[in-house]
């Protein structure tokens, strides 16, 4: 990745649509001395995202964008990222697909976390599909974002065992716990910290 940490932390924006438990884990990580990133912005397409309350708690700037006209939302976001000197975007449960144009303008600087062992189960309802497919394992993946859904280069993965009687709820919970560790680990990996 064409990013260097230098002495300062890399200014990062986290994009969310819902609960924001990965956002919280990234905020906690960012406060550690060893973290190469600081979280400087929270961006959401959904004013009702529960995760937005971390903005107040941790004094992080938040912005909400209506994606009815995606191109105009993205233009506004790109401007805001520039204005705030953001150099890394972490998607964390962000339910909108970013356009090629957006991705190209932030090339190699957008990461995502996905709750499956990619390339298996791209897209939605991963846990249900893993169970239906009678998988023995599932897990989570942190990857770079490219223009194809959940298809960019994989940075790190964590496997979890699917046990007898597992439900999508228990599996989601189990994987989410691992996600909270994996995202910071992946960031450490790409910045060698
Ligand atoms: C996570 O499972 C993430 O992998 C997926 O959406 C979920 C978001 O959860 N992309 P949270 O909002 O971080 O709690």
């Amino acid at each position: 990745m064409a990013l260097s940490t230098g002495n300062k932390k890399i200014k990062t924006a986290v994009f969310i649509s819902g609960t924001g438990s990965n956002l919280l884990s990234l905020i906690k990580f960012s406060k550690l001395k060893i973290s190469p990133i600081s979280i400087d912005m929270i961006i959401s397409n959904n004013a009702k995202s529960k995760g937005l309350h971390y903005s107040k708690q941790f004094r992080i700037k938040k912005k909400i964008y209506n994606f009815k006209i995606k191109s105009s939302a993205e233009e506004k976001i790109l401007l805001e990222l520039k204005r705030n000197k953001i150099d890394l975007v972490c998607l964390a449960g962000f339910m909108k697909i970013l356009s090629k144009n957006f991705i190209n303008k932030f090339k190699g600087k957008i990461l995502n976390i996905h709750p499956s062992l990619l390339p298996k189960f791209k897209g939605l309802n991963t846990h249900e599909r893993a169970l239906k497919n009678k998988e023995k394992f599932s897990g989570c993946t942190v990857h770079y974002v490219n223009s194809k859904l959940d298809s960019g280069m994989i940075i790190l993965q964590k496997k979890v065992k699917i046990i007898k009687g597992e439900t999508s709820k228990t599996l989601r919970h189990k994987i989410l716990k691992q996600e909270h560790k994996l995202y910071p680990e992946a960031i450490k990996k790409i910045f060698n910290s």
Side-chain angles (χ1 to χ4, degrees):
M1 184 181 237
L3 279 173
S4 115
T5 54
N7 294 323
K8 282 199 204 128
K9 291 194 176 187
I10 295 155
K11 285 180 170 258
T12 301
V14 183
F15 286 31
I16 62 167
S17 299
T19 317
S21 68
N22 277 289
L23 164 65
L24 178 61
S25 95
L26 288 175
I27 294 173
K28 286 183 177 165
F29 168 65
S30 74
K31 307 232 174 256
L32 304 176
K33 223 175 173 182
I34 53 143
S35 165
I37 63 162
S38 59
I39 308 293
D40 298 276
M41 282 198 81
I42 302 169
I43 287 181
S44 181
N45 64 306
N46 172 12
K48 289 186 180 147
S49 303
K50 280 196 194 148
L52 283 170
H53 72 265
Y54 295 124
S55 154
K56 202 168 177 193
Q57 187 178 344
F58 294 99
R59 294 167 194 265
I60 301 169
K61 188 171 182 177
K62 75 169 176 206
K63 285 271 177 181
I64 299 151
Y65 296 91
N66 181 332
F67 264 69
K68 265 189 187 145
I69 304 171
K70 181 148 87 173
S71 56
S72 101
E74 289 188 344
E75 280 311 317
K76 287 181 200 154
I77 295 176
L78 282 167
L79 257 174
E80 196 60 27
L81 296 179
K82 203 168 175 189
R83 217 178 272 146
N84 288 278
K85 300 190 166 52
I86 298 294
D87 222 359
L88 180 72
V89 166
C90 291
L91 306 183
F94 185 62
M95 300 305 283
K96 294 286 171 191
I97 296 174
L98 295 168
S99 71
K100 251 186 196 167
N101 173 56
F102 186 97
I103 293 165
N104 281 337
K105 289 199 173 136
F106 235 77
K107 220 175 190 150
K109 297 179 179 185
I110 310 177
L111 314 179
N112 182 39
I113 187 150
H114 184 76
S116 78
L117 293 173
L118 290 173
K120 280 192 173 174
F121 309 119
K122 295 174 183 175
L124 297 176
N125 305 318
T126 53
H127 309 304
E128 289 78 1
R129 282 151 67 208
L131 291 174
K132 207 172 167 194
N133 222 34
K134 304 215 178 324
E135 297 289 328
K136 292 202 168 71
F137 296 93
S138 189
C140 45
T141 304
V142 177
H143 63 94
Y144 288 107
V145 171
N146 67 11
S147 57
K148 285 195 195 136
L149 183 67
D150 300 326
S151 300
M153 200 178 95
I154 290 172
I155 301 161
L156 270 186
Q157 290 187 308
K158 175 76 185 179
K159 220 178 187 183
V160 307
K161 204 169 173 1
I162 295 180
I163 56 167
K164 214 174 150 215
E166 194 92 68
T167 64
S168 60
K169 197 175 164 196
T170 60
L171 187 57
R172 175 173 296 111
H173 184 74
K174 200 152 88 178
I175 291 178
L176 204 50
K177 256 174 101 178
Q178 295 306 322
E179 290 183 38
H180 300 155
K181 296 184 204 155
L182 194 73
Y183 220 157
E185 282 308 315
I187 290 169
K188 280 203 271 181
K189 184 178 172 194
I190 61 179
F191 296 113
N192 300 314
S193 63

